[in-house]
Amino acid sequence: MLGYDKQRRDNYFHFLEVKRWGKLKWIDDEALDKLITALSPRYEPTNLFVSIGLFILTCIIISAGVGFASLIFIEVIDSNSGWFLSLVGALILLFVLQKFVINEKHQFGSGADEATLYSCLGFFHLTFILLFENLFDSALFISIFYFILLGVPAFIYKDRLLTAGAHLALFAVVFFLAYNIGGIMTLLIPFLLMGLSFFGFTFSEKRIVSSTDQATEQCWEVINWISIAMFYLSGNYLVVMELSKELGLADAFPFFVKILFMILTAAIPIAYIYFGLIIRNLALLNIGLIAVALSVMTVRYYHEVMPIEYALILGGAIILGIVWLALRFWKEDKLGVTAKADEDLDSGLKIESLVLDQTFGKIDSTNTFSGEGGKFGGGGASGNF
Amino acid sequence: MKHTIKHLETNGLITEAFASELKTYQSNKPMSIFWHIRTLMYMGVTLLATGLGTVIYKNIDTIGHVTIVGIIGLLSAGCFYYCYKNAATFQPDKWASPNTWFDYILLLGVLLFLTFEGYLQYQYNIFGDRYGLATIIPAAVIFALAYRFDHLGLLSMGITLFASWLGITLTPKSLLMESTFSDVDAVQAGLILCVILLGAGYLGASKNFKKHFDFTYYNFGFHLGAIAVLVATFNFKLGWLWIFLIAPLVAGAFYYAKMNKSFYALLCAFIYSYIAVTYLIIKGCISMGADSILWAYLLLMYFIGSSIFAIQFLRRTYKQMI
């Protein structure tokens, strides 16, 4: 089996969600215990800080292990094709270790599984570079290589970091493809990237809705976020002009196209914030706010409208003014947006209906649930489970 | 959430009514911009205070002193007056801010107060050559404000200023990249500050006086002490003798982690203790004249073995703590 066990991974996410319900008192402790028992088998969640520790330690084990093996096989590595065999050997061992960590130790998102996966990819990367060194002179080839190297495991493992890397590599592929074609295509690069971003955004929006599991949805969310950010960056005046200079196309863009980029630089952040609030899209809103800061920096890069200290005071005053207006506007919830904290919203939910179905016992045979399902028969009539 | 509802409903684990209620809640739930508002407020206050500070810095000899002092002082006083008028009476426990603006107005007041005090010292030399006073007085004011208005951000600022009074720059960059602990005196000052901070945290927690401030005190104190000990160990002659001072710190952090289920404290304690033990082992190897390949093998085996042990330890402790 490549990748993670789907049932265990799905139950991992269900477990986290059900635990949240329990914390919010949407369900009582007894119901929580029953649901947790029913959500088996699953990967066990790990705390973020523990994951960081496990990631570092696994990296130390791999590095020390590779160093140890290198010392033992130093003569083999030094021989003609020994380096290749050593790298392939290390790759196979790491792959076996990775399978052991996932399949035997049932690790998912614990840091240890990511460390082994990324190490595998690192060794594969190194092997490929040493084997086909001359191919790595082409930026287009490198982009395609990274797209495949990151994209395939991203698809198999549903890993968000790899998904982000693969998606960025796809942008690089389009960029260098157009650049290599040359001529008018070079000038069309910003628009091609914007088109790709727009496609990525609309496609990922649909996939987020239609995805059947949490891990896939999270990966599409990453693509969604990157697409939104890349759409802005592809049309940002500073990015386009400075990249054009780097590519020797400083004056290639006609005046009206430059004006268009200026308009895009100013308009996209505002559009993001507007649509973020209207369609309740946090990704648009967050990136829109960051884009405002980047657009201000873009303007200041070319035109120092006022000294920095006055710009800071004015910026601070404007921001506080906007906050004041926003707080007045959202004194009550409007447009499906609220100034209240998420936790306050969640804790305000009053669940009056019953949690467990009276047919709970029936699923015992199809699920791995081992609790006394019959005890819940008819449960809930009291209104408080 | 939608996948979980669907899964539980499909498998008959929740009633249709409950599932429908959750779905309705999810689809009707408004989008929260709580953190956006707070981030923007923080940015606005910081930009405003930085801008005003820069105006003074750049125009210190050109604008009338009284005008500048007056404006900054009045603004700062205005902020404090607003906080005083709107705050509830002092409570030794945690209390919620009266409104969204309160914490940020207080922060703005303090930032302006620091500019005001710095300007007075630069221009009128109000503390003379007693530069320590120019640091300890604002530190005392900020500590008092942090306790009066229950502000963790101000507490951190107060601790940082107090540390600078002792000659220690308390920023992650300065602690890790620069030679903050370049001599024994600085290390001793760091350790004294560490003891004071840990003591303040412990006292507050045990006397139930602003108990929720304890993590901030412990966090600063623990990192400061551990980094001071490690820097002394790495740089001083017979430095390895210093390393044993890390043991009580790490033990305290592990105890705190267990008592408060703090995985952050667990990770920090683990990292510092791993560095200390590894340093002692490598130092021991070097002092034994270990320059053969055998030692390289042994050290690599140590790294593999210790990491496996550490992984088991972390996972076991995690399971005990949850």
Side-chain angles (χ1 to χ4, degrees):
Chain A
M1 176 187 62
L2 278 170
Y4 296 98
D5 181 320
K6 190 176 180 310
Q7 189 192 10
R8 279 181 185 273
R9 191 182 57 202
D10 287 348
N11 280 341
Y12 165 93
F13 287 111
H14 299 324
F15 171 78
L16 290 179
E17 185 61 30
V18 165
K19 285 275 276 188
R20 193 174 74 89
W21 295 356
K23 211 173 173 183
L24 291 165
K25 303 288 176 204
W26 291 358
I27 51 177
D28 63 21
D29 291 345
E30 194 184 351
L32 178 65
D33 288 344
K34 290 291 178 188
L35 285 177
I36 286 174
T37 313
L39 293 172
S40 296
R42 64 171 179 269
Y43 292 118
E44 290 301 328
T46 314
N47 176 272
L48 172 70
F49 294 109
V50 177
S51 294
I52 293 170
L54 294 185
F55 184 84
I56 295 169
L57 288 166
T58 312
C59 287
I60 292 174
I61 292 174
I62 292 168
S63 309
V66 168
F68 195 83
S70 303
L71 281 178
I72 293 173
F73 298 109
I74 195 149
E75 285 185 13
V76 179
I77 295 168
D78 276 347
S79 65
N80 275 344
S81 56
W83 62 268
F84 174 71
L85 291 172
S86 309
L87 279 174
V88 171
L91 190 57
I92 292 168
L93 281 175
L94 274 173
F95 188 72
V96 171
L97 177 67
Q98 204 253 337
K99 289 288 102 192
F100 174 75
V101 166
I102 292 176
N103 295 344
E104 300 301 320
K105 292 289 172 188
H106 305 306
Q107 302 288 304
F108 171 69
S110 72
D113 54 325
E114 280 107 340
T116 49
L117 174 62
Y118 301 155
S119 303
C120 267
L121 291 176
F123 267 87
F124 186 78
H125 178 240
L126 184 65
T127 312
F128 210 84
I129 285 182
L130 290 174
L131 265 181
F132 305 101
E133 206 175 342
N134 51 339
L135 286 174
F136 279 80
D137 290 337
S138 157
L140 178 61
F141 177 81
I142 294 172
S143 310
I144 294 170
F145 171 73
Y146 280 121
F147 177 64
I148 297 168
L149 178 78
L150 302 173
V152 173
F155 180 75
I156 295 169
Y157 289 91
K158 306 277 190 287
D159 183 285
R160 281 178 287 179
L161 189 64
L162 295 179
T163 304
H167 195 42
L168 288 172
L170 181 62
F171 279 97
V173 171
V174 174
F175 181 94
F176 288 114
L177 192 64
Y179 181 68
N180 285 358
I181 293 169
I184 187 76
M185 288 304 281
T186 321
L187 296 178
L188 288 176
I189 287 174
F191 302 104
L192 287 172
L193 295 182
M194 287 177 87
L196 179 62
S197 306
F198 185 74
F199 174 74
F201 172 72
T202 49
F203 190 68
S204 58
E205 282 281 298
K206 284 178 191 157
R207 299 297 298 190
I208 288 169
V209 175
S210 65
S211 61
T212 53
D213 63 89
Q214 189 70 25
T216 313
E217 186 179 324
Q218 286 180 346
C219 288
W220 283 113
E221 277 171 359
V222 168
I223 291 174
N224 190 266
W225 279 68
I226 291 177
S227 300
I228 293 168
M230 287 304 290
F231 185 82
Y232 168 72
L233 290 174
S234 306
N236 178 280
Y237 185 83
L238 175 70
V239 175
V240 174
M241 290 305 137
E242 293 308 304
L243 258 179
S244 307
K245 276 185 205 165
E246 288 291 318
L247 298 173
L249 301 163
D251 298 316
F253 287 111
F255 180 69
F256 74 91
V257 178
K258 287 183 181 174
I259 296 286
L260 177 68
F261 286 126
M262 284 180 197
I263 294 169
L264 287 173
T265 306
I268 291 175
I270 296 164
Y272 277 4
I273 294 171
Y274 177 76
F275 286 111
L277 292 171
I278 294 295
I279 62 171
R280 292 194 284 165
N281 186 320
L282 266 182
L284 279 174
L285 182 62
N286 290 338
I287 296 172
L289 288 170
I290 296 168
V292 169
L294 292 176
S295 292
V296 171
M297 279 167 62
T298 302
V299 173
R300 274 199 66 81
Y301 186 81
Y302 292 102
H303 310 283
E304 194 166 321
V305 183
M306 62 179 80
I308 183 75
E309 61 272 25
Y310 296 114
L312 288 173
I313 293 171
L314 187 66
I318 290 173
I319 288 173
L320 291 176
I322 290 171
V323 168
W324 184 74
L325 287 173
L327 282 174
R328 274 181 69 88
F329 186 75
W330 276 293
K331 220 170 185 176
E332 303 295 329
D333 299 353
K334 276 183 202 158
L335 304 169
V337 176
T338 179
K340 293 187 198 96
D342 246 336
E343 302 83 62
D344 295 341
L345 296 174
D346 289 337
S347 58
L349 179 66
K350 298 277 179 276
I351 302 289
E352 288 170 357
S353 55
L354 266 205
V355 179
L356 296 187
D357 195 354
Q358 53 190 344
T359 58
F360 191 66
K362 291 180 186 171
I363 59 165
D364 202 19
S365 55
T366 51
N367 265 29
T368 50
F369 172 68
S370 56
E372 295 173 56
K375 278 175 77 175
F376 285 84
S382 63
N384 60 1
F385 182 75
Chain B
M1 188 173 180
K2 67 176 182 188
H3 303 296
T4 305
I5 300 170
K6 193 178 172 189
H7 173 80
L8 298 179
E9 193 184 10
T10 311
N11 288 290
L13 295 170
I14 55 174
T15 59
E16 280 178 22
F18 181 62
S20 144
E21 201 159 342
L22 284 175
K23 281 179 202 163
T24 312
Y25 168 72
Q26 193 191 12
S27 57
N28 293 342
K29 184 184 169 184
M31 180 178 79
S32 170
I33 53 166
F34 178 85
W35 287 110
H36 300 86
I37 296 275
R38 263 137 193 87
T39 309
L40 285 176
M41 278 171 138
Y42 183 76
M43 275 177 64
V45 165
T46 312
L47 288 179
L48 205 59
T50 313
L52 285 168
T54 316
V55 167
I56 288 181
Y57 177 75
K58 282 192 171 177
N59 302 288
I60 207 144
D61 297 322
T62 56
I63 311 177
H65 301 156
V66 179
T67 317
I68 297 178
V69 172
I71 293 171
I72 303 281
L74 276 175
L75 277 173
S76 178
C79 291
F80 292 143
Y81 180 73
Y82 172 87
C83 294
Y84 176 73
K85 288 297 284 180
N86 286 281
T89 49
F90 176 78
Q91 296 169 33
D93 303 321
K94 190 177 183 176
W95 52 273
S97 305
N99 59 56
T100 317
W101 288 95
F102 186 87
D103 285 348
Y104 299 89
I105 290 175
L106 180 59
L107 181 66
L108 180 65
V110 167
L111 292 174
L112 292 176
F113 165 73
L114 288 175
T115 309
F116 177 70
E117 190 257 355
Y119 179 80
L120 287 180
Q121 170 63 13
Y122 177 86
Q123 204 61 42
Y124 299 110
N125 211 17
I126 52 167
F127 298 112
D129 292 336
R130 287 163 295 175
Y131 298 113
L133 276 180
T135 319
I136 195 68
I137 286 176
V141 171
I142 290 171
F143 268 118
L145 290 169
Y147 274 87
R148 172 64 186 87
F149 297 117
D150 202 54
H151 199 294
L152 277 172
L154 292 192
L155 181 70
S156 302
M157 280 174 74
I159 293 172
T160 311
L161 269 174
F162 182 58
S164 67
W165 179 65
L166 285 171
I168 298 164
T169 313
L170 264 190
T171 62
K173 188 180 167 231
S174 67
L175 281 177
L176 297 172
M177 311 296 285
E178 294 161 16
S179 51
T180 299
F181 299 114
S182 53
D183 52 39
V184 176
D185 287 345
V187 170
Q188 282 172 348
L191 288 174
I192 289 168
L193 183 58
C194 159
V195 171
I196 291 171
L197 293 176
L198 295 179
Y202 177 75
L203 263 181
S206 57
K207 301 281 177 197
N208 246 340
F209 185 77
K210 296 291 173 193
K211 195 179 175 186
H212 57 290
F213 280 8
D214 70 338
F215 178 78
T216 309
Y217 279 120
Y218 290 151
N219 194 32
F220 272 103
F222 174 67
H223 285 297
L224 186 71
I227 290 172
V229 168
L230 287 181
V231 172
T233 307
F234 297 156
N235 295 333
F236 297 167
K237 202 175 175 185
L238 288 176
W240 60 274
L241 286 169
W242 285 89
I243 213 158
F244 296 102
L245 285 175
I246 215 164
L249 284 173
V250 166
F254 274 125
Y255 180 75
Y256 179 86
K258 282 217 164 191
M259 288 294 111
N260 296 281
K261 295 188 175 181
S262 168
F263 300 106
Y264 167 74
L266 176 71
L267 180 67
C268 293
F270 165 75
I271 288 175
Y272 285 121
S273 51
Y274 191 80
I275 291 172
V277 171
T278 304
Y279 177 81
L280 274 183
I281 287 176
I282 293 175
K283 187 82 179 169
C285 290
I286 293 168
S287 65
M288 282 191 279
D291 53 356
S292 69
I293 195 80
L294 178 68
W295 285 102
Y297 278 116
L298 287 175
L299 273 178
L300 288 169
M301 281 170 73
Y302 159 74
F303 278 114
I304 295 170
S306 63
S307 299
I308 291 171
F309 169 77
I311 285 176
Q312 284 174 341
F313 170 76
L314 270 182
R315 288 193 66 78
R316 203 170 45 239
T317 315
Y318 171 73
K319 278 180 185 163
Q320 285 168 1
M321 281 166 62
I322 52 171

